[in-house]
Amino acid sequence: MPKPSPTFLSRRGLLAAGGALGLVAALTACGGGDKAKDGAGDQGSSAASGAWSFKDDLGKTASAKSTPKNVVAYTGTAAALYDYGVQVKGVFGPTKLADGKPDPMAGTMDISKVEILGNVYDEFNVEKYAALRPDLLATNTWDGSYWYVPEASKDKILKLAPAAAIGVGDKVSMDKALERTADLAKSLGADLNTRKSADAKARFEAASAKVREAVKANPGVKVLVGSGSDQMFYVSTPKTSADLKYFESLGVEFVTPEQDKLDPQGFYESLSWENAGKYKADVILLDNRTQALQPEALKAKPTWNELPAVKAGQVAPRVTEPIYSYEKCAQLLEDLAKTIQNAKKLG
């Protein structure tokens, strides 16, 4: 999953965050600004004294004097924590659609109960963030950076509270991302021993088995993972995203773009619409994010309409940024199993 491209997402001017700087000292003095620090640490703990720590997937240990209560998180991370019963105070990332409804990235989270600090890439209101007196910033990481934390204001943001990032790209698979998200939720007070948690994990395991069975019952189905913008059609590699790596481990056969044609981060190959048919596929999993063109809009692209999978009606949505709770990922696998099972090989 690449960093959002400027062609995908509208960018606003850099946030005026000078007012937030004056709050840094006050937050630090009251304990809300303990910095994350490198070093060894367990996956998440609260000692008898009440101290809290969590070693994240960047190898950094976030720590605080007590279990964080004022948590601010990337929308997808917040949605996963919500599924475990952890409510955050603020979010950043795609949260609310233009019509006021929740963005799919928000999952089942009640967005009326969170402060939205930014709704698009590179938008993060540092002043509002500081006013929340954050104890922890939680997000994902694809490439070693804090996902959706703007580079221009990153240093100011990270001074205000410890940060923890969960790996969802590169060498990480979906099952590991799920495990680590659950670790974070547990460290923040979630009870993972409930019947709900057990049922969600069992459903995920059963859904994984359904995908394996579908692949065995309908072998040889070639799946292309794509995303459309006005100017380009992006074909993703399954090697650098946690969801696709896991699907591949279950037997799903993906179209893999040429290695030397990938973007600098190694996530996708960019094709002009004239060359959108470069790779043959039986099924297309299409980026479902709000910044990507959806099937109705893509009808205006003649070469899209000529793709065999499009002609055959074998286009299914791809949840490009899964919400890493067992409940949400189980649904993705169940949908994938049906897509593979019902697909016709197009030759």
Side-chain angles (χ1 to χ4, degrees):
M1 222 293 296
K3 282 190 176 295
S5 164
T7 59
F8 279 3
L9 292 161
S10 61
R11 291 174 179 260
R12 296 188 181 182
L14 295 177
L15 295 170
L21 293 179
L23 295 175
V24 175
L27 288 171
T28 304
C30 71
D34 291 349
K35 295 181 183 179
K37 56 186 177 183
D38 293 333
D42 59 12
Q43 293 181 341
S45 64
S46 293
S49 64
W52 173 91
S53 67
F54 182 84
K55 187 172 182 179
D56 76 357
D57 294 338
L58 295 177
K60 297 181 179 181
T61 299
S63 60
K65 294 177 181 178
S66 61
T67 302
K69 299 300 181 186
N70 292 343
V71 179
V72 173
Y74 172 62
T75 305
T77 309
L81 292 175
Y82 183 85
D83 285 349
Y84 288 112
V86 178
Q87 177 72 51
V88 305
K89 297 290 186 180
V91 295
F92 54 97
T95 307
K96 184 184 290 188
L97 299 175
D99 61 5
K101 294 180 180 178
D103 188 281
M105 282 300 308
T108 51
M109 180 172 55
D110 185 348
I111 65 172
S112 70
K113 294 183 178 180
V114 295
E115 181 78 48
I116 300 174
L117 305 178
N119 204 51
V120 297
Y121 188 66
D122 248 5
E123 181 181 75
F124 192 117
N125 192 314
V126 185
E127 198 164 25
K128 283 186 178 181
Y129 176 58
L132 290 173
R133 302 179 68 83
D135 299 319
L136 177 70
L137 182 145
T139 186
N140 293 332
T141 182
W142 293 83
D143 58 2
S145 63
Y146 293 100
W147 187 234
Y148 264 73
V149 175
E151 188 64 29
S153 52
K154 178 184 69 176
D155 291 344
K156 298 173 185 176
I157 292 166
L158 297 180
K159 284 179 181 178
L160 291 168
I166 300 299
V168 297
D170 196 16
K171 298 178 181 179
V172 179
S173 185
M174 174 179 273
D175 51 346
K176 183 63 176 178
L178 282 165
E179 178 186 321
R180 294 292 289 135
T181 303
D183 287 341
L184 177 60
K186 182 178 180 181
S187 82
L188 294 172
D191 183 359
L192 302 187
N193 295 317
T194 64
R195 179 63 181 270
K196 178 184 177 182
S197 291
D199 287 350
K201 191 167 185 180
R203 180 185 172 190
F204 173 80
E205 292 169 351
S208 296
K210 288 179 182 178
V211 174
R212 289 192 189 95
E213 292 164 5
V215 171
K216 289 181 180 178
N218 194 9
V221 172
K222 293 288 187 181
V223 178
L224 182 148
V225 180
S227 183
S229 72
D230 285 337
Q231 301 299 320
M232 308 295 288
F233 183 56
Y234 303 92
V235 179
S236 294
T237 173
K239 307 300 182 183
T240 50
S241 296
D243 59 331
L244 302 184
K245 284 176 69 68
Y246 187 67
F247 300 164
E248 194 172 46
S249 76
L250 299 177
V252 178
E253 295 183 40
F254 287 104
V255 169
T256 302
E258 298 176 59
Q259 184 66 31
D260 62 351
K261 303 293 185 183
L262 298 178
D263 69 293
Q265 293 174 296
F267 288 103
Y268 58 81
E269 179 179 353
S270 302
L271 300 175
S272 65
W273 278 109
E274 289 78 6
N275 296 310
K278 177 178 178 179
Y279 297 106
K280 305 302 179 185
D282 304 305
V283 170
I284 294 174
L285 295 183
L286 187 68
D287 187 351
N288 78 328
R289 292 175 298 168
T290 53
Q291 66 264 30
L293 296 183
Q294 299 307 303
E296 190 62 32
L298 287 170
K299 288 180 180 179
K301 306 291 184 184
T303 50
W304 166 259
N305 298 317
E306 292 302 313
L307 297 177
V310 176
K311 284 184 173 182
Q314 295 186 166
V315 178
R318 179 207 176 190
V319 179
T320 304
E321 294 189 57
I323 294 169
Y324 282 100
S325 69
Y326 287 102
E327 175 186 333
K328 295 297 191 295
C329 288
Q331 183 66 59
L332 299 187
L333 289 166
E334 290 164 357
D335 293 343
L336 178 63
K338 291 177 184 177
T339 297
I340 298 295
Q341 183 178 345
N342 296 330
K344 295 180 181 179
K345 289 181 279 293
L346 304 177

